[in-house]
Amino acid sequence: MEEQLTKKQIRFWSTSYFVILFFLIAGFVLATSQISYSWRWSVVPTYFFSQETIEVKSEIEGEVLSVEPAGKNTRIVIRGDDGNRESYEAPTEEILAAEGDLIFPGDTLATYQEWRPGLLLLGLMMTIKVSIYAIIIGILLGIIGGIGRISANPAARWFAYTYVELIRGTPLLVQIFIWYYIGSTLVNQLFSQYGGFEIPALWYGVIALAIFTGAYVTEIVRSGLQSINLGQTEAARSLGMTHFQSLRYIIMPQAMRRILPPLAGQFISLIKDSSLLGIIAIRELTKATREAVTTSFASFELFFTCAALYLVLTFTLSLFVQYLEKRMGTS
Amino acid sequence: MIDVQNVHKIFYAPHEIKALTDVTVTIDAGEVVVVIGPSGSGKSTFLRCLNHLETADHGRILIEGVDILDHSTNIDEIRAEVGMVFQSFNLFPHKTVKENVSLAQRVVRKRSTQEAKQRTETLLAKVGIEEKANVYPDQLSGGQQQRVAIARALAMDPKIMLFDEPTSALDPEMIGEVLDVMKTLAREGMTMVVVTHEMGFAREVADRVIFMDAGRIVEIGTPEHFFTDPSHDRTKIFLSQIL
C-alpha cells in the first residue's frame, strides 16, 4: 500500500527540498568563507587549456638569407658561416628575424602562441579511455562468466565461481598492485630474451579494472539469465535451436533489459574506482588533480572540479542507460 | 513414426517420483493420439521425453527410426522435425508475432528473409491472425497467443506436432479457436500427440486415446472403446470423475 499525500503536502515537501538544499549550500559557502583560504578559481581553466608561447630559436650562427611566407607559416632561411643553410618555419604571428640580420645560436627568430591541453583535461581523457576499455572487456568477461556460472559443465561452473569469489573477495587496490608489479615483472622477464618488450602501465590498469568489474558483471548476468522463464529456453530448443542460439536470440536479449540497471551501477563504480590507478603511475583524473594541486596550491578548487568532472561522467552514463532502458522498454 | 520402448523416468527433486514406468507405444504417421489422465500421471513427462526436453532414464525412443537417446544423435535436428506447443504458450516477448514465427526459420532452417517472410504470412493466415503480424505477444489474447505458438512450431515444417495441454491456460471462450486450428491440422494428416483435458476433442479427432495413471499407460484404444466401454476400473473411475 503506497502512502498517499494530498496536493498541499506534496507542494509543501517539494518546496522544503529546495529550501533545505539552499540552506545546505549557503551554510557550506559561509563555512568556507570563515576559514582563511584565498579562493582562486581563475587558475582552474588553465588546467584544462593553457596558452603557451613557443620560441623558435636558431641553432647555428650566420646570416638571415630570406624571410618568406610559406602557406600560413613563414619560412626563415639562415646561411651559416660555413656555408650551410638551415631553414625554420613558424606561424606568421611575430617574426623577429629580418633579412640580413646576423644570428647567433640561441637567438629567437620568431614566437607564436599555442593552445595546450591542461593536466585536468588530459587526466579526464585518460579516465574516460581506461573506463571505456575496462567496461568493454568487463562486459565480455561478465557474459562469459555469467553463462559459465549456470552451465551444465562443472568445469565451466567452478571456474566461473572461483573467478567471482577470488576477485570479489580481495581489495581492488591489492589487485592493481599484483597486476602491475607481479604482472609487469613476469612479462618483462618472459619477453626480455626477445628484446625488451614492455606493456604500458595503462594496460595493467585496464586489465585490473576489467577483471574486477567482470566478476561483478558475471553475477549480474547470471541473475539476469536465471530470471528468464525456463519456458523460453524450452520453446527455443524445441524449435531446434542450439544452446548457443537460444542464448543469443532468446535469453540474452530479454536478460539484457533486466541486467541494464544493475550494470549501470557497476560501471559507475568502475569510473570512480579508476581513481585508484594513480598509484601505478597512470595519470588519470585524480592523479592529475593531485599534480595540479602541488603546482598551484589551489587544492579546494581543483578537488571540487575533479569531483564535478567525475559526476559529469557518471551522470552521463546514468542518463545513457536510462535512455537505453526506455528504448528497450518500448520494443 | 514414433516408437517408444520400455521408457522409464524418475525425478529426484524435490523428492523421488517415478514419473514414467515401462512406457511402450508406437504411433504411426498421420495418427492423432490424445493422452489423458489425472494430473501427475506422467502424460506431460511422456510428451516432453519425445523431443528430449526430458531425458528418459531407460528404454528407447525412436523418431522416424532415429534413437534420440543415443548420444551420437544430433537432437537439434530431431527437434526441428518435432514441433511443440506449450500450455503457457512461451512466445518470445521481445519479438513481434511475425518475428516469433520467422526467427527459427532463418536461424535453424537457414531460410532466406524472403522465404521466411512468405512462409510466415501463409502460416499466420492459416491460424487466422495475419492482421496481428506486427504486434508483440503481450498485446494478444491467450487464444491468439496460442495460435501464434502453433504457427511458430509449424514454420519448421515438422513431421510431428506435440501439444502439451494447449488449452488449459485459456479462458473458456478462447478454447474453441485453438481447437479449430488443431482439428484442421489433424484433417491435413499431421502426426499429432496431444495431452489435453478436452474430452470432446479426443472423441472427435483422436485416432487413439492413451490413458495414463501413476506413470504407466493403463490402456490404449479408439475413442469409441475408450468412452463407451473402457476395460480398466481405473479408467472408468477417471471418466466418471470428469464426464
Side-chain angles (χ1 to χ4, degrees), chain A residues 229-243 245 249-251 253-254 330-331, chain B residues 48 51 53 76 79-80 82 84 86 90-95 103-104 107-108 110 136 152 156:
Chain A
N229 193 326
L230 187 64
Q232 291 291 310
T233 311
E234 290 188 345
R237 297 305 300 273
S238 78
L239 289 166
M241 287 191 206
T242 61
H243 177 64
Q245 286 169 337
Y249 295 104
I250 307 302
I251 308 305
Q254 294 184 59
T330 51
S331 71
Chain B
R48 290 161 60 83
N51 70 346
L53 282 184
D76 297 322
R79 281 175 175 153
V82 182
M84 184 152 192
F86 300 85
N90 294 345
L91 290 179
F92 307 134
H94 61 304
K95 302 265 178 206
L103 178 67
V107 173
V108 179
K110 311 286 181 211
Y136 286 89
R152 180 178 67 179
M156 308 306 289

Side-chain angles (χ1 to χ4, degrees), chain A residues 161-205:
Chain A
Y161 182 74
T162 311
Y163 166 54
V164 169
E165 292 304 324
L166 211 63
I167 297 299
R168 283 201 315 192
T170 51
L172 176 57
L173 192 59
V174 175
Q175 288 176 31
I176 293 172
F177 280 132
I178 289 176
W179 286 111
Y180 185 58
Y181 291 113
I182 299 174
S184 66
T185 310
L186 267 176
V187 167
N188 286 347
Q189 287 187 355
L190 280 176
F191 292 98
S192 61
Q193 47 192 332
Y194 306 111
F197 169 81
E198 211 170 296
I199 300 175
L202 165 77
W203 289 104
Y204 291 105

Side-chain angles (χ1 to χ4, degrees), chain A residues 210-227:
Chain A
I211 288 179
F212 181 76
T213 304
Y216 288 88
V217 176
T218 291
E219 283 302 282
I220 293 170
V221 169
R222 178 192 59 80
S223 69
L225 292 177
Q226 282 179 332
S227 76

